[in-house]
Amino acid sequence: MDRVIIFDTTLRDGEQAAGGTLNVQEKLEIARQLEKLGVDVIEAGFPASSPGDFESVSLIAKEIRNSSVCALTHANFKAIDRAWDAIKEAARPRIHIFLSASDIHLVHQLKKTREEVMKMACDSVARARGYTSDIEFSPMDASRTEPKYLYQILEAVIEAGASTVNIPDTVGYAVPAEFGALIRGIFQNVRNISKAVVSVHCHNDLGLAVANTLEAIRCGARQAECTINGIGERAGNASLEEIVMTLQTRRDLFDLCTGIDTKQIYRTSRLVSDLTGFPVQPNKAIVGANAFSHESGIHQDGVIKMPITYEIIDPRTVGVPSSSLVLGKLSGRHAFKQRLSELGYSLGEEDLNKAFAAFKELADKKKNITDRDIESLVAEERRTVSEEYHLDRLQVTCGDQGLPMAGVRLFRPGTNEYIEGASLGTGPVDAVYKAINLCVEQPNTLTEFTVKSVTEGIDALGEVLIRIESGGVTYTGRGADTDIIVSSAKAYINALNRLLSARKIGEIK
Ligand code: KIV
Ligand code: ZN
């Protein structure tokens, strides 16, 4: 069967989403999961944009063996050389060059003529061809580029050696019939188009990214650029899970396949949400909490009699765990380990011990431990890896009389020292954050603070998500505990740790 290449750009365009900064270890963890998911190409980052991006792309290129690892670059020699430097050890390296093509961009941003841009494009592709034969070229803002000029530039870059030509709807302006016609026009008018794979890259400003991608595929495109959970610049990119599951569910219409192991979809979605701090909306197709829950009596009746009545996808196909087994205080290590593995986690001995200890601690406070609790516990353990500061102790007094007061003790694993701080505040969280500030001394502004309960019930785990801003960059932090003041402290320390690790490697996103 004809195959669609799945090009995942979660680590590049996805990370461009406001507040979505990931550190090097987190990017590596996502890349490993994307490889497990079976994506063909991982766009790992933009090496010339920052030392942090260079480092993470290099690490991913060294480790990932089953997916191509792609580096994005401007159309200039220095950036291309830097991109190659980052991916040269990949099993299958790809260089992705982008350059604006629309008159809107040429006149108002690049201040260059069409001829100058055409030359830059060809020279850049030729330069990259000196390193590898896997070259992708993107004429940025293609959907607003005059088609005749687009055909010319595509023909020229293919001649210069591009093996994939990507058609970006950079500002999410196209509608499906129009975008499909553009792709058909490319097949009809670009003389050497059979020498390259036609790819599409759609943004979601009008909520049409997936629809445009699918229409382009119907018209002959064979690479889809997408992100997990549809995250990305502004309103995001086309969502991988929606494209893949549409192709699979409507194989009768498309007659196409992908190399994706769909059972890894849910797990990948959770990981990306957890590490980026972007929650998945409950009604999100395929991976939202309500995507497979039936509320109306008629629907429930139908699904009990025969799932196909109201369910077009078996939730197990995308790896949604069946939550029939609930663990509790008396559950042993073996049951816990088995549940973890059913949820797609394979922890090493040390991590398993830590997660099991956290599970036991939670089971003392909460009667039934659900899959969501376990996911939250594992995420909490993951967050404490390579910390600059760790919350060791926290004491708060508050009430409706007098000012809340907090005392904290933080541990620094790097230097083995403890630091203490105490403060009053307008509320308990304010007092805790001020006490932490006395210890960490990193000026920042709190821009977002959200608390949500992981499951129902008064004993539920409370998850706190915060964003802080420092030096024009936003850092996300998360924390979970049955006590929301403790979750708040953990989330703040998590955000500060990210800020400090970005400063350490000179990262400026
Ligand atoms: O949206 C866009 O045009 C891009 C390019 C770099 C492909 O992200
Ligand atoms: Zn984009």
Side-chain angles (χ1 to χ4, degrees):
M1 198 186 292
D2 208 355
R3 178 176 163 142
V4 176
I5 297 166
I6 299 297
F7 175 114
D8 180 279
T9 182
T10 305
L11 295 173
R12 200 277 298 170
D13 222 337
E15 209 224 1
Q16 275 173 230
T21 338
L22 295 162
N23 64 34
V24 174
Q25 281 314 314
E26 290 166 339
K27 286 184 186 173
L28 188 59
E29 194 172 347
I30 291 178
R32 287 180 184 138
Q33 180 59 29
L34 290 172
E35 184 182 39
K36 250 196 207 164
L37 177 67
V39 309
D40 299 287
V41 188
I42 297 173
E43 187 163 54
F46 190 169
S49 71
S50 73
D53 247 38
F54 182 87
E55 189 188 341
S56 57
V57 176
S58 312
L59 267 181
I60 292 168
K62 280 180 193 138
E63 185 171 320
I64 298 298
R65 298 290 97 181
N66 298 322
S67 310
S68 298
V69 176
C70 173
L72 182 72
T73 169
H74 298 294
N76 75 56
F77 288 5
K78 207 168 154 210
I80 293 168
D81 296 349
R82 185 97 174 125
W84 175 248
D85 232 17
I87 54 165
K88 62 185 179 213
E89 289 186 49
R92 272 177 284 142
R94 173 180 291 194
I95 298 177
H96 178 189
I97 302 164
F98 74 99
L99 180 61
S100 288
S102 69
D103 286 339
I104 300 174
H105 282 206
L106 265 54
V107 171
H108 300 290
Q109 194 181 14
L110 285 190
K111 315 233 182 280
K112 290 201 185 299
T113 64
R114 287 184 178 186
E115 292 68 33
E116 285 170 320
V117 163
M118 179 87 84
K119 183 169 179 338
M120 276 171 79
C122 293
D123 290 350
S124 306
V125 170
R127 174 78 171 198
R129 249 330 265 252
Y131 293 127
T132 170
S133 58
D134 194 349
I135 309 293
E136 173 167 334
F137 180 81
S138 289
M140 193 153 75
D141 205 18
S143 54
R144 293 191 301 170
T145 300
E146 198 222 340
K148 254 196 180 151
Y149 178 61
L150 183 64
Y151 304 150
Q152 285 167 6
I153 201 165
L154 294 178
E155 196 164 313
V157 293
I158 295 171
E159 195 58 42
S163 47
T164 299
V165 284
N166 178 44
I167 312 304
D169 180 22
T170 303
V171 289
Y173 180 72
V175 298
E178 180 190 35
F179 197 59
L182 179 66
I183 302 300
R184 269 199 304 275
I186 288 169
F187 279 105
Q188 286 157 2
N189 293 287
V190 178
R191 198 182 34 82
N192 51 3
I193 198 68
S194 61
K195 291 193 185 153
V197 172
V198 174
S199 165
V200 287
H201 175 110
C202 299
H203 278 272
N204 207 29
D205 299 66
L206 295 174
L208 295 170
V210 171
N212 284 335
T213 304
L214 291 168
E215 186 57 18
I217 290 172
R218 255 180 26 85
C219 295
R222 285 296 174 267
Q223 175 174 287
E225 300 205 351
C226 43
T227 59
I228 301 298
N229 301 334
I231 63 169
E233 184 90 30
R234 306 181 310 278
N237 290 58
S239 123
L240 180 146
E241 58 279 8
E242 294 175 24
I243 295 168
V244 168
M245 290 315 293
T246 304
L247 293 177
Q248 174 157 319
T249 310
R250 299 309 312 272
R251 199 164 268 178
D252 57 323
L253 273 185
F254 289 91
D255 200 21
L256 292 167
C257 69
T258 69
I260 296 295
D261 174 2
T262 60
K263 286 208 165 59
Q264 293 291 334
I265 285 180
Y266 176 79
R267 166 99 190 81
T268 315
S269 162
R270 299 279 341 143
L271 180 72
V272 168
S273 168
D274 185 55
L275 294 181
T276 56
F278 293 129
V280 175
Q281 77 204 51
N283 61 328
K284 165 83 177 62
I286 318 294
V287 290
N290 297 344
F292 300 102
S293 68
H294 304 274
E295 279 294 310
S296 110
I298 295 178
H299 289 207
Q300 286 175 347
D301 175 61
V303 169
I304 289 165
K305 288 177 176 150
M306 179 60 85
I308 199 176
T309 49
Y310 292 95
E311 215 165 68
I312 59 166
I313 299 169
D314 179 339
R316 286 170 300 186
T317 320
V318 292
V320 171
S322 64
S323 45
S324 52
L325 189 68
V326 174
L327 300 181
K329 202 170 161 162
L330 300 177
S331 306
R333 198 168 182 280
H334 184 71
F336 179 68
K337 189 177 173 186
Q338 183 173 335
R339 197 70 205 117
L340 278 178
S341 121
E342 282 161 8
L343 290 170
Y345 298 105
S346 56
L347 304 188
E349 204 55 21
E350 195 184 326
D351 289 343
L352 178 66
N353 289 342
K354 280 207 259 169
F356 185 61
F359 162 75
K360 279 293 185 190
E361 201 180 308
L362 179 61
D364 270 342
K365 299 178 193 158
K366 187 174 188 290
K367 194 160 173 266
N368 294 325
I369 311 287
T370 65
D371 292 342
R372 281 291 291 119
D373 291 319
I374 295 175
E375 284 172 350
S376 188
L377 278 184
V378 176
E380 186 61 35
E381 288 308 311
R382 190 191 297 123
R383 281 190 282 268
T384 60
V385 176
S386 63
E387 286 181 311
E388 281 275 322
Y389 290 90
H390 178 79
L391 179 67
D392 183 54
R393 283 186 193 169
L394 170 64
Q395 195 61 46
V396 179
T397 44
C398 64
D400 63 353
Q401 306 291 316
L403 281 177
M405 192 176 86
V408 298
R409 188 166 90 163
L410 307 186
F411 176 61
R412 296 199 76 175
T415 55
N416 251 341
E417 50 174 346
Y418 290 92
I419 311 162
E420 292 176 325
S423 177
L424 297 171
T426 51
V429 174
D430 184 47
V432 170
Y433 282 23
K434 281 182 173 143
I436 293 173
N437 283 342
L438 291 174
C439 304
V440 179
E441 293 178 344
Q442 283 296 327
N444 66 80
T445 313
L446 181 68
T447 55
E448 192 180 327
F449 180 94
T450 339
V451 193
K452 81 171 180 358
S453 104
V454 170
T455 52
E456 61 282 357
I458 196 73
D459 58 355
L461 273 178
E463 249 176 17
V464 170
L465 181 144
I466 70 160
R467 295 192 207 279
I468 58 174
E469 204 250 11
S470 174
V473 183
T474 300
Y475 301 90
T476 305
R478 283 180 140 187
D481 198 276
T482 47
D483 180 327
I484 58 164
I485 305 298
V486 178
S487 316
S488 307
K490 285 179 174 174
Y492 188 39
I493 292 170
N494 181 230
L496 288 170
N497 280 327
R498 283 164 174 242
L499 183 159
L500 291 164
S501 101
R503 293 261 157 90
K504 220 177 183 175
I505 53 170
E507 168 93 69
I508 342 140
K509 205 185 145 208

